[in-house]
Structure formats: structure tokens, C-alpha cells
Amino acid sequence: MDELTEKKALEDLREELHQHNYRYYVLDEPVISDFEFDQKMKVLMALEERFPQWSDPNSPSVRVGGGLSPGFTTMAHGYRMYSLDNSYDLSDLSDWEQRNLKLSGQDSFSYICELKYDGASINLIYENGALVQAITRGDGVEGDVVTANIRTVSTIPLKLKGDYPKYMEIRGEIIIPNQEFDRMNQERLARGEELYMNPRNTASGSLKLLDSKQVAQRPLVCLVYGMAAPELDLLDQEEFLVAAQSWGFKVPNTFAKCSDLSQVMEYVNHWSEQRHELPYETDGVVVKVSRKSHQEMLGFTAKSPRWAIAYKFPAQQVSTVLEDVVYQVGRTGAVTPVGQLTPVLLAGTVVKRASLHNADQIALLDLRIGDRVYVEKGGEIIPKVVGVDLEYRKPDAKPITFAENCPDCGTELIRVPGDAKHYCPNTWACNVQITGRIEHFISRKAMDVQGLGSETVILLFQAGLIANPADLYALNPQDLLPLERMAEKSVSQLLLGLEASKKQPFHKVLFALGIRYVGETVAKKLSSAFGSITALARATQEELVAVDEIGDRIAASVISFFQDPRQVAWVQRLADYGLNMEEVSQEDAVFSDLLAGQTIVVSGVFTLFSRDEAKELIQKHGGKSGSSISKKTSFVLAGSDMGPSKKALAESLGVPLVDEQAFMQMLQKV
Ligand code: AMP
Ligand code: ZN
């Protein structure tokens, strides 16, 4: 065979295996036996080994995994991944509908209902029909790149079929079917290993395994529900679901069209009962305004699309015995009572512990040790105790008296007025608090220190080397090498990890400080509002609460943090070690205010600049870029490929279209 023929044979075989794969996993209609499939795969792998020059990252052979990943990089989604607002009854739904009707000036909407698949969300980026990147949801703006792992998931097409747009981001949920999950746990049981909690956590954990061969062993399935594609003009959500199926994705056929909310409720009631018959877990229904043009009118809030809402099924409940209560101290000193339960099966998982939240909650439920309690699992991982079955109460059952002393250091606990939690006030000498703060500081969403984990933190603390996060940066090889389990390699990895962490931006440093109530989002808000640690430390209560979403509680906590000289001292040391204590503004240069007060929607593709560059230009000239066309839109920056439905919408609202040349001319008037 000459080279060309060989190449063609290789490509044909790849194509054939893609087809078999699709028939087996997506359609569930295999046409060849597993044995034949394996034989063909072996032939393909042999050919690929012989002709490395014709390798293809999307070959069917990548399904088996291989190659260790040193860790995951984060990457921004092209289009944000939103969460969903929740609703629990018809009145929530009708409030939502009324708001939307008013906002868009429509008389009615039709809806598509889908099940809400309970797994880990994934963003699949396709270019010219090939999977190029897969990113976890992360915080919605950016997530972890897990492409090699995702390529092993057989229900995800590596090459699309039919007629697809040049660029698109497909949104799906990675799940593990219940049966497969049970099988995994039975195998673990047989090996004497600890059982997995539930399918959702196991699915999301699987995406972060470092060895894609291991991922390939996991029974992961991708169910597709949405997409973002700039050039694709679809009439409605149903058309999308059908198109996605035709490209080769698995879209469950459980979706339904509903012409009003009473039909939506029928769907909800049907699946609220029938969901236990499904092969996978669902915790509700997602109701979506079906027409694309309506969706565009409604747009998004900061967190979620206005055109979609989740309807949560009532939580599942079981009853079991409360055997004991233990107390846990966190890094902020907050003490959480945890109920120890007689193990019981709830929604497919064995539950042994349940959060009791705080003393008020215990009093409210009037709990006693030995009570038969109702345990419920909502969206959260740890189930909660929601009530007591008084029929079973023993006459001598003693009420629970909340711990008076810290379970770790023995210090007497305190309660601050207005806060339901008990705290251990021994901030500077309570071991779990000290190590907890350092563990938080190095964690991935904070300083993301590579080469350092919880165990090492405890080791270093016990060796007297660290008592606060700043001490980490003073570590040196002489101190570390004598320690047990600290070989030269791990020492240099740790020190490199610390050095690299100095590049983390200010808002991550701020989050890492562990100021009570200052979570990731609040840290971002504070960082962009004040710009530096010095300005934040000086901020008054009024200045703090003037910031969007910052209330009295957060403000007071920030102020009391910076009033404590011991806190200031270690934060100052962090600054001395070179951590970022100021926000570096990306848009420092402003070109003009030619577009001040204007909201511009960018649509289609351009030759002079990319869409992101267009948005940057708008910002640098003082304008705002909007996500969807509405009456408030000043004009649409229209590229080629702008969809006809968008054009019609702009026209009907009297919003002018401006092409890229005209736009550039507009900006020349400086
Ligand atoms: P939440 O995380 O509760 O805000 O809900 C939003 C998430 O629901 C999305 O990120 C998706 O991962 C997930 N989801 C599951 N099924 C669907 C569906 N049919 N439509 C939209 N989102 C879904
Ligand atoms: Zn303590």
C-alpha cells in the first residue's frame, strides 16, 4: 500500500469506530459484538503506533485514556456558565412568569421542560466539528481544563455529525447512572474500601482524576441540555435539543413542550413520582422559555438566565435514630454540632451523620439523644435533621446540652449577639483553628499552593515551623529537610509552590486571609471597590456597606479584622514577602468617552477584530457591552453571520445596526 492509501485506511477505521461507539453508547443499538469492536480498536492502535505523524487528538483510541496530567489549568469559558434560580411551587412559577411577561412586553410564553440532571456540569468546546476543549463549570466564569479526561467519556462525540456551526460551546451534565454507581460501591465493599457518597460527587471527582486511564474506567455519561454558539440561529430550545441529537450527543427524550404553566405542573407532578424509575438521579425540572427571541429579550441577571428556572422536587426524607452529638471547630472558630446517626439509606446513599447547624436549631427541634429523627437531603452534601418522631421518644430521653468548651483546646465557648453560632475565642492558640486557617490559605481557590497539603500543614505546625500563613514564606530547606517524609524533592516542590503562589491576584489573597464572611465573591467585590489592602484596611463602615452586596455583618467583620494588630502584623509580612496587595487593573488605559452612556450589543463575527476585542474597545471608549438586544440597546455592532431573528428583533425595537467599518469610523473622531 502506498502512503496515501494507508492514511485513508487509518482514517476510515477511525470513522468506523466513531460510528460503532455512537451506536453503542448514545443510541444503545450496537451492530457489532464487543469482541469485534475490541479487535478493530487494536488494529487502529497498532496503526497509530506505526504512523505517529497521523495522530489525532480526537481518535476513538483516546477513549481508553492514557497519559498523566500534572494538574489542571484554569481557563475562561467563552460564554459564561450560569446557575439557575429555584422555585418550589406553582406560585413561584407564576411570579416568575409575570415578571418575565412584564419585562418583555409579551402576552404569553411557551416552555420546554427538561429534567434537571444531578451531576457535574461541563462546557464542551467544538471548533469545526472537533472537540477541542472541555472545561468544568468552576465559578461560571472560568473552570478547570479537563479535556483529556472528557475525551474518554463515550457519550461525548469527538467529531460531530451533520451540519454544525463552526464554533460552539455545548453544555451538558456528567453523571453516573445509579446502577453503575451501585456496582462501583459493591466492588469497593468487596475490597474493604470506603464507599462513595453519591453519584454526583463521584462524577465530579472523576473529572479531576490525574490519570485519564482511570477516568476511562468510570461509567461516566454526558447528558446535553444547552449551548452557546454565536453564529447559530435556532428558533427555539426544542430545535436545539433535536439538533444536538443529530450531531451525536445524548439528549434524554424526557423533555416536553408545554404551552402554559398548568402543563408545566403536570410535567413536574409526573416526574416527581416517576423519577425513581429513571436510570439516573434528578433533583428537579428545568423550565425554559422556549423561543430563542424571547430568551434574548429576557437576558440574564448577574447569576442566572431570566428565561429559565429550576423547579425543585420535594426533598427526600427517611427516619433514623440520633445516637450522639459531636462538635467540630472550623478555621473561624465556629462550632458545628454534628448528629451521629444509625446508618440509613437515603436517596441511594448511606447516611451516618447529619448537620444540626447550631444551638438554636437544636432547641427549635427539641432534640434528645436516642430520638427517632427525620433526615432530609436537599441539594447539599451533608443531610440535615428536620424533625423528631415524638411517638418513639423514650420517657427518660435527656435534652441535648450544647458543648460549653472547645472540643479541641478546651476553652470556654462564646456566643455573640446576633450570631446563632458558638465560637471558640482562642483564635491564636486553638490548634484546629490555626491549621484550618493555613489550610484555607493554601487551598485551590485561595493561594493555590502546589506541593503542600493538609497533612504537611499539620506536620509543619507540630514541628513548630508555622503558626500563621505568613510563616510559610519564611520556610527554608534547612528547617524542612530534617522532617520525616520531607525528601529533597518534596521540599523543593513545596518551596517552588510557595514562590509561584506569590503571583496570585489580590482578590485571591484577600479571600485567602480568611476574614469571617469574606468568601470568594465578596473578596472580588471588595478588591475591585477598594483596589488595595491599604485602602480596605482604612475603609469605614459606611464606605464598606456602600459597596454592592456588602452588608453590616461583613463590614463589621472586615473592620474588626484590621483592628487586631496581630492580624495586621502577619498580613504586613505577606506584603513584605511580595504577595499582591493591590488589584492590577486590566483596563487601566481608557481611550475616550465617545461611547459614554451607550449600551452596545456585539453580534456576529468580524474581520477587523475578535468579539472580545470589540467588547474591550467599547469599554475603553466608555461604553457598556450588553448581552442581549432590548429597548435599552443603543446600537448593535453587527458582524457578518448575525442571525436573522436577532436582526428582526433589533428592527422591531428600533435599534440601529452598525457594521464594523462604521464602528471604527465612529471611534476615529478623537
Ligand atoms: P444550579 O447549580 O442549581 O444553579 O443549577 C444550574 C445547573 O443545573 C447547571 O449548571 C447545569 O449543570 C445543571 N442542569 C442539569 N440539568 C439541566 C438542564 N436540563 N438544563 C439546564 N441546566 C441543567
Ligand atoms: Zn478551641
Side-chain angles (χ1 to χ4, degrees), residues 185 189 192-197 318-326 328 337-356 373 375-377 381-385:
N185 262 348
L189 200 63
E193 294 168 354
E194 206 177 313
L195 299 188
Y196 290 121
M197 277 274 277
V318 284
S319 72
T320 185
V321 175
L322 176 68
E323 294 179 350
D324 198 5
V325 177
V326 298
Q328 284 180 350
V338 178
Q340 310 283 86
L341 309 169
T342 305
V344 62
L345 200 66
L346 171 61
T349 56
V350 179
V351 175
K352 289 181 245 169
R353 292 145 49 88
S355 170
L356 300 173
V373 293
V375 180
E376 206 175 87
K377 201 151 87 171
I381 299 167
I382 303 179
K384 52 187 181 225
V385 170

Side-chain angles (χ1 to χ4, degrees), residues 112 203 405 441 591 659:
I112 290 279
N405 298 87
F441 182 85
F591 296 161
D659 69 15

Side-chain angles (χ1 to χ4, degrees), residues 329 333 335 405-411 413 423-427 429-433:
V329 195
V335 177
N405 298 87
C406 172
D408 191 67
C409 70
T411 307
L413 301 179
Y423 287 91
C424 165
N426 191 14
T427 315
C430 179
N431 293 354
V432 268
Q433 290 188 54

Side-chain angles (χ1 to χ4, degrees), residues 413-627:
L413 301 179
I414 55 159
R415 268 187 106 172
V416 196
D419 196 330
K421 292 231 164 228
H422 281 73
Y423 287 91
C424 165
N426 191 14
T427 315
W428 301 95
C430 179
N431 293 354
V432 268
Q433 290 188 54
I434 296 174
T435 51
R437 284 193 297 266
I438 302 176
E439 284 167 43
H440 167 74
F441 182 85
I442 62 168
S443 63
R444 230 167 59 83
K445 292 185 167 177
M447 298 307 287
D448 192 20
V449 178
Q450 306 288 315
L452 182 58
S454 299
E455 275 175 38
T456 314
V457 166
I458 292 167
L459 182 78
L460 297 178
F461 170 68
Q462 283 168 350
L465 292 174
I466 53 171
N468 67 52
D471 293 339
L472 288 170
Y473 294 96
L475 291 171
N476 59 50
Q478 294 88 296
D479 293 335
L480 294 169
L481 282 170
L483 297 179
E484 215 182 306
R485 278 184 295 150
M486 288 302 250
E488 217 158 281
K489 179 137 180 261
S490 30
V491 168
S492 70
Q493 272 174 349
L494 197 170
L495 295 176
L496 278 175
L498 284 164
E499 204 47 44
S501 74
K502 293 182 181 169
K503 298 217 173 64
Q504 290 291 84
F506 174 52
H507 66 89
K508 300 231 172 180
V509 178
L510 189 53
F511 171 59
L513 297 184
I515 304 173
R516 192 179 293 168
Y517 310 129
V518 178
E520 259 185 300
T521 322
V522 170
K524 274 191 187 158
K525 296 243 150 140
L526 291 174
S527 138
S528 56
F530 293 95
S532 74
I533 198 90
T534 330
L536 181 64
R538 267 199 232 117
T540 63
Q541 179 89 10
E542 294 79 61
E543 286 167 343
L544 284 160
V545 295
V547 179
D548 181 32
E549 279 178 46
I550 307 295
D552 287 334
R553 202 173 62 136
I554 302 175
S557 166
V558 170
I559 288 178
S560 95
F561 182 90
F562 288 107
Q563 268 168 357
D564 186 333
R566 289 167 299 190
Q567 308 277 28
V568 174
W570 71 265
V571 174
Q572 179 57 49
R573 281 177 60 211
L574 290 179
D576 296 343
Y577 286 120
L579 275 64
N580 285 318
M581 294 295 175
E582 277 178 22
E583 180 168 88
V584 186
S585 159
Q586 291 134 344
E587 54 221 61
D588 29 17
V590 172
F591 296 161
S592 81
D593 55 2
L594 277 168
L595 300 175
Q598 307 208 42
T599 303
I600 298 142
V601 172
V602 179
S603 182
V605 288
F606 306 92
T607 52
L608 300 174
F609 35 69
S610 72
R611 291 165 58 84
D612 283 341
E613 283 165 348
K615 288 181 187 168
E616 204 181 317
L617 274 174
I618 292 172
Q619 254 180 24
K620 292 199 167 173
H621 287 279
K624 278 205 301 205
S625 68
S627 53

